[in-house]
Amino acid sequence: MVSLSTLFRYIGSRLEYATAVSSKSYKQGQISDTQVLDTVWKNFFQGKLTYLHWNKGEEMAPTIGAQGGTLLVRKLPAPDPTRVFVGDVVVLKDPVNSDNYLVRRLAAIEGYEMVSTDEKDEPFVLEKDQCWVVADNENVKPKQEANDSRSFGPVSMSNIVGRVMYCLRTAVDHGPVNNSHFSTRKDSAILEFELDVDEMAKNHKA
């Protein structure tokens, strides 16, 4: 039985999502002033706050198995430092190939000073709207195999489309993804309402 507080937090998350989507449409000139409220309510009642994403590759092992994992992803229509946090596992548009999506861990956001272990690299500070993403797997070569910010540099926060909340590696090996403390709390009510392990297993490709 879901508690009232969880229900209210889920409703709050839906309202926050609906407002963010509507605000984005308004700023892009897709809707007028008079359509904003109607659009908020339409987005509030429409669809889920999550989607399933298949990821394969050893870059995020052991968080996601090298053989692949079905991920439950929370949609993030307006990613910024108040909605996504350092330590979160995120889905982002590949900055090298915009047709692809990468799953990486958010390691730093705007204002962070980046200092390389390679003395030839000059330290620098991430600018507004920039972030730094890295692979979890420490056994892959950073600049050759990890395919993260160590090879392609800073990424725009707007490239982030979602936060991974849950990973199904196999039908018997699945669980929540280790994200920041803030996101774990923000996402808990959504997990209560929208996690369906049977559906994830049914869509699993491995």
Side-chain angles (χ1 to χ4, degrees), residues 20-36 39 42-43:
V21 171
S22 305
S23 174
K24 191 175 179 181
S25 298
Y26 177 69
K27 285 175 183 171
Q28 292 173 348
Q30 294 168 348
I31 57 173
S32 65
D33 294 10
T34 54
Q35 295 173 304
V36 172
T39 308
K42 190 189 294 180
N43 286 320

Side-chain angles (χ1 to χ4, degrees), residues 53-108:
H53 177 78
W54 168 254
N55 186 82
K56 190 170 184 179
E58 59 183 356
E59 297 90 352
M60 286 302 289
T63 305
I64 302 165
Q67 299 306 309
T70 299
L71 312 176
L72 182 69
V73 181
R74 177 179 180 172
K75 300 172 189 172
L76 292 171
D80 62 44
T82 66
R83 289 188 174 95
V84 62
F85 306 92
V86 169
D88 289 352
V89 176
V90 296
V91 179
L92 66 149
K93 290 177 188 170
D94 186 337
V96 180
N97 181 357
S98 58
D99 289 336
N100 290 342
Y101 288 89
L102 301 175
V103 177
R104 296 292 182 267
R105 194 173 293 275
L106 188 63

Side-chain angles (χ1 to χ4, degrees), residues 62-63 72 89 105 164-169 173-179 184 187-188 191 195 197 200:
T63 305
L72 182 69
V89 176
R105 194 173 293 275
V164 181
M165 300 193 298
Y166 200 92
C167 174
L168 184 140
R169 289 167 284 273
D173 179 15
H174 54 84
V177 166
N178 184 26
N179 284 321
T184 300
D187 296 341
S188 60
L191 265 180
L195 173 64
V197 175
M200 291 179 77

Side-chain angles (χ1 to χ4, degrees), residues 3-4 7 9 14 17 24 49 54 60 76 93 107 115 138-139 145 147 160 164 168 177 181 190:
S3 69
L4 266 181
L7 174 62
R9 284 197 296 119
R14 289 195 72 92
Y17 174 78
K24 191 175 179 181
L49 301 180
W54 168 254
M60 286 302 289
L76 292 171
K93 290 177 188 170
V115 181
E138 294 176 358
N139 296 321
E145 300 170 346
N147 192 22
I160 296 173
V164 181
L168 184 140
V177 166
H181 168 74
I190 298 171

Side-chain angles (χ1 to χ4, degrees), residues 77-146:
D80 62 44
T82 66
R83 289 188 174 95
V84 62
F85 306 92
V86 169
D88 289 352
V89 176
V90 296
V91 179
L92 66 149
K93 290 177 188 170
D94 186 337
V96 180
N97 181 357
S98 58
D99 289 336
N100 290 342
Y101 288 89
L102 301 175
V103 177
R104 296 292 182 267
R105 194 173 293 275
L106 188 63
I109 56 173
E110 60 185 64
Y112 274 61
E113 183 178 13
M114 307 305 297
V115 181
S116 174
T117 52
D118 188 337
E119 291 179 3
K120 296 195 291 285
D121 295 335
E122 289 286 322
F124 64 93
V125 175
L126 290 176
E127 297 176 6
K128 185 171 174 57
D129 188 45
Q130 285 188 333
C131 63
W132 193 264
V133 295
V134 296
D136 272 6
N137 191 346
E138 294 176 358
N139 296 321
V140 295
K141 294 173 186 171
K143 292 191 177 180
Q144 293 81 25
E145 300 170 346

